[in-house]
Amino acid sequence: MAMHLGLLTSGGDCPGLNAALRAVGRAAQDCFGMRLLGFSNGFRGLAQDQTVELDSKQLSGILTLGGTILGTSRDKPHRMQIGGRILDMTPSIVENYKRHKLDALVCLGGGGTQKNALRLQRAGLHVITLPKTIDNDIVCTDRSFGFDTALDIATEAIDRLHSTATSHNRIIVVEVMGHRAGWLALEAGVAGGADVILIPEKPYDVKIIADAIKMRTRQGKRFSIIVVAEGALSKADALKVQRLIVSRDAAQTKAARDKISQTLDKFHDQQRLGHAVRLTRQLEELASQESRLTILGHLQRGGTPSSADRVLATRLGTACAESAAEGRFGVMLGLQGNEIVPVPLEEVAGRKKLVPVDYPLIRSAEMVGTSFGC
Ligand code: F6P
């Protein structure tokens, strides 16, 4: 009896998702004779039985296509908003999986997806995941697909901002994605020759950044490019967050914990909406130089995948079909060195790969004169 694979994409979209779907699908169908069934909009489609046909016609011509032909969402199986209520949809998911007589579910997603996949594996499903995110913050894989394309987009933007910053003698702050992890800011900053790089893992002091800019002015360099990850924090804010986390963890009651979590969420919300604007104004004042802000936002997630992402997505996707054929479930397939390796979901779920403060690229950046504002 041919194996039947369910496929879904979950979390924020990124370039390479369609390339990975194509690879899983073609290898599964053509090499192992499996049947495929897609679910739309992440775990919601699986919970509400919204299916998408995935035959060779649907899988054709999508290698270079951005986004995901299945659609995606950030819905969690165990806390899904349905008709104004938050419901645990795990039982419906298990029921739909059984009704379609699926042998395995393939989930293409980021950190949140790995956690949800483990929950479903524990609920009795056979699950295999592939790591996608432009943030590159999934543990046990050197790279997630989507990252390389976003890196190219951010680097090109920094290159373009250089010429306008030089012409006007301005400071240009460029915000790139990355709430908790600074991989994209760090690598794009280094590739684009940023003068200052700010990442969440290294809280900054705005006066140190202003001093670095003033030093450049004294050296006759009348412009500066500041690359900031959206989750970068000043030292004072990092301390505030740290204190809130400590008091939340020490809180005696659920109500007290929830209240502190709400305060934390509110802080992160305000940070997301206003941090780069505040930083740009502060720098204009402290360095006495005209400043502008560019927020790259979702441009970094859109459009056609880079060649490296197409290759990685194809390698991971074909390895996924092989893993299903061999009956190896409960794993994420990751890139380690030049190998694609299966990693137990327990080792991945709930963890985040942050930039180590002693990461060699940070030292290299400092050696070529880049400041981290600390
Ligand atoms: O998927 C990760 C990510 O790209 C983060 O870098 C960013 O903070 C977030 O998604 C934005 O998510 P959304 O598209 O849901 O606003």
Side-chain angles (χ1 to χ4, degrees):
M1 182 72 170
M3 269 186 97
H4 197 196
L5 284 192
L7 286 94
L8 59 84
T9 53
S10 168
D13 74 333
C14 77
L17 278 168
N18 287 324
L21 286 173
R22 168 183 177 269
V24 179
R26 284 211 169 154
Q29 282 175 334
D30 302 348
C31 304
F32 302 108
M34 295 177 191
R35 292 180 301 126
L36 306 173
L37 183 64
F39 292 95
S40 58
N41 305 323
F43 293 106
R44 178 168 293 267
L46 180 55
Q48 299 188 324
D49 202 23
Q50 294 154 358
T51 58
V52 178
E53 221 181 294
L54 279 182
D55 57 25
S56 51
K57 192 157 163 263
Q58 271 81 27
L59 295 173
S60 191
I62 62 169
L63 173 65
T64 60
L65 199 65
T68 159
I69 57 166
L70 292 180
T72 186
S73 72
R74 293 196 186 274
D75 288 309
K76 302 179 177 83
H78 64 297
R79 282 182 57 80
M80 203 175 287
Q81 185 143 18
I82 306 278
R85 289 193 304 153
I86 304 284
L87 299 179
D88 180 356
M89 296 299 282
T90 312
S92 312
I93 286 178
V94 173
E95 196 184 309
N96 288 333
Y97 178 93
K98 286 188 178 153
R99 191 147 41 80
H100 288 294
K101 296 190 171 40
L102 294 178
D103 295 293
L105 176 71
V106 176
C107 305
L108 284 62
T113 303
Q114 311 304 326
K115 277 201 263 183
N116 293 324
L118 179 59
R119 283 195 189 100
L120 295 184
Q121 174 77 24
R122 285 181 174 154
L125 274 56
H126 287 149
V127 188
I128 304 176
T129 67
L130 299 183
K132 71 85 218 173
T133 165
I134 69 161
D135 295 345
N136 197 35
D137 59 354
I138 302 175
V139 295
C140 304
T141 186
D142 297 347
R143 286 272 156 129
S144 51
F145 61 85
F147 177 70
D148 185 75
T149 312
L151 180 56
D152 279 352
I153 295 168
T155 304
E156 196 204 329
I158 297 167
D159 290 349
R160 288 177 183 277
L161 290 170
H162 257 103
S163 64
T164 170
T166 319
S167 306
H168 285 270
N169 295 330
R170 280 174 174 161
I171 297 169
I172 293 195
V173 176
V174 50
E175 186 194 272
V176 303
M177 279 187 169
H179 259 307
R180 298 285 148 83
W183 296 104
L184 190 54
L186 175 62
E187 295 207 18
V190 169
D195 306 299
V196 178
I197 299 175
L198 305 175
I199 58 174
E201 294 87 343
K202 282 174 85 69
Y204 66 83
D205 179 338
V206 72
K207 292 206 186 77
I208 296 178
I209 307 173
D211 285 346
I213 294 170
K214 284 191 226 160
M215 169 73 88
R216 283 175 53 76
T217 309
R218 283 196 294 279
Q219 292 166 342
K221 297 170 183 165
R222 293 283 302 136
F223 75 94
S224 291
I225 300 286
I226 321 294
V227 173
V228 54
E230 59 187 343
L233 291 170
S234 68
K235 285 188 179 166
D237 283 344
L239 204 64
K240 208 186 292 173
V241 168
Q242 196 51 42
R243 285 200 182 121
L244 280 169
I245 291 172
V246 169
S247 52
R248 182 193 59 193
D249 293 349
Q252 300 295 316
T253 63
K254 183 177 176 310
R257 271 195 303 280
D258 287 350
K259 196 153 176 247
I260 302 171
S261 292
Q262 275 169 14
T263 313
L264 261 170
D265 288 349
K266 204 166 154 206
F267 173 86
H268 285 305
D269 244 22
Q270 284 168 352
Q271 176 80 359
R272 185 167 57 229
L273 297 174
H275 169 250
V277 176
R278 279 196 304 278
L279 176 67
T280 309
R281 285 201 188 128
Q282 281 177 315
L283 290 178
E284 180 158 278
E285 207 171 291
L286 290 172
S288 312
Q289 191 171 352
E290 203 177 28
S291 305
R292 292 288 186 268
L293 168 65
T294 298
I295 297 178
L296 295 184
H298 291 81
L299 277 177
Q300 296 159 101
R301 293 216 317 237
T304 189
S306 67
S307 47
D309 273 337
R310 295 178 204 180
V311 170
L312 178 58
T314 301
R315 289 187 68 191
L316 289 168
T318 50
C320 174
E322 280 174 335
S323 192
E326 287 161 13
R328 201 183 307 112
F329 306 118
V331 292
M332 178 191 84
L333 296 165
L335 175 73
Q336 295 182 6
N338 197 27
E339 301 292 315
I340 303 292
V341 293
V343 187
L345 283 173
E346 286 84 355
E347 287 179 27
V348 185
R351 293 173 65 205
K352 217 172 240 316
K353 183 177 71 181
L354 302 179
V355 178
V357 285
D358 58 353
Y359 191 60
L361 188 58
I362 293 181
R363 175 95 182 108
S364 296
E366 285 171 337
M367 287 172 81
V368 294
T370 307
S371 165
F372 285 82
C374 51

